[in-house]
Amino acid sequence: MGQAKRRREAGDRISHCRTCTYCCSLPRIDALDKPAYRPCTHIAGGGCAIFGQPERPAACLAYACAYLTARMTEAPERNRIPHPLDCGAYFHRDPVEKVIFLFVDPARPLYWKTSVLLVDFLKMQVGAGFALFVTDRGREMVIRDVGTLGEVLARDMVAIADRDGRPLDVPSYREAKASPAG
C-alpha cells in the first residue's frame, strides 16, 4: 500500500499538489485581478493561503489540473500524467471542447519537452483529435496534429518568434519578467 493511500485511510488530507503553484502563478485569474506570469498574492507556505476560505474565488475552487483531476478521480490514465513539477508544465482539458491547455514553466521552458510521460500523453491526445493550446514565455500556439507537435518539440518556437521580433501574445510576461517579483 502506498503512503498516500495509508494517509487517506487514516483520515489525513492528501495534497497531490506538493508545493506546485503553477496554476496560481502562470495563468491570468480575472477574479483576483491577477495577470499572467504573476504569482497570486495568496500563495503562502507552498500553497494557497485562502484554500477552503470563503474569499477563495469560484474560478479557483472549480479548477484542478489534469494531474490533480486524475488523482482525485482515480482515472485510469493517472499514471500516464506526470506531476507538473516533474515535467515543467501543467495542463487541463476543457470540460466541453476537445482542447488541452498547457502552461509551460518559464524558468524551465524546454524541460516539458524532455518528459517522456508528458510528450507521449500529449501525442496520444492530439492524435485522438484534441487541439493543444500551449502558453510558453508569453507566446501562445495551437497545435492540431502530431506532426506540428513534433516540430514544436524539436525547436524552441519561442526563441524563433523572439528572434523574428514578433510581438508577445501575453504582454504581462515581459512585465513580470522585468519586475523583481517575477
Side-chain angles (χ1 to χ4, degrees):
M1 179 183 310
Q3 181 181 6
K5 191 171 184 178
R6 279 193 297 278
R7 289 180 56 208
R8 183 175 40 244
E9 287 179 359
D12 292 343
R13 181 175 171 263
I14 306 298
S15 174
H16 296 290
C17 297
R18 300 186 330 221
T19 59
C20 181
T21 57
Y22 285 162
C23 66
C24 304
S25 302
L26 298 178
R28 183 181 79 231
I29 303 174
D30 293 333
L32 294 171
D33 198 28
K34 188 198 91 55
Y37 297 105
R38 295 275 182 157
C40 176
T41 58
H42 298 292
I43 295 174
C48 178
I50 59 171
F51 185 86
Q53 302 300 314
E55 60 269 25
R56 189 166 186 229
C60 296
L61 284 170
Y63 183 78
C65 72
Y67 176 85
L68 186 57
T69 299
R71 291 291 184 265
M72 293 182 340
T73 63
E74 299 276 331
E77 64 199 22
R78 70 184 175 276
N79 293 323
R80 292 194 313 255
I81 300 174
H83 189 283
L85 294 176
D86 296 337
C87 66
Y90 83 97
F91 69 94
H92 66 273
R93 291 186 191 107
D94 184 279
V96 178
E97 303 294 326
K98 287 186 79 168
V99 179
I100 294 174
F101 294 92
L102 176 81
F103 293 83
V104 176
D105 179 355
R108 303 182 299 161
L110 303 178
Y111 192 63
W112 72 277
K113 296 177 179 189
T114 66
S115 171
V116 174
L117 268 180
L118 180 60
V119 168
D120 287 350
F121 185 81
L122 294 175
K123 284 180 180 176
M124 182 179 64
Q125 296 298 300
V126 170
F130 277 83
L132 177 61
F133 189 94
V134 179
T135 302
D136 181 3
R137 293 168 282 163
R139 305 285 178 185
E140 296 175 335
M141 62 190 103
V142 179
I143 301 168
R144 298 186 188 281
D145 60 80
V146 176
T148 304
L149 178 57
E151 289 178 33
V152 169
L153 292 169
R155 296 175 181 81
D156 185 352
M157 303 306 269
V158 172
I160 293 169
D162 288 347
R163 182 196 65 212
D164 292 348
R166 290 185 225 143
L168 289 175
D169 301 302
V170 184
S172 59
Y173 172 71
R174 187 163 287 122
E175 297 158 14
K177 190 175 171 188
S179 77

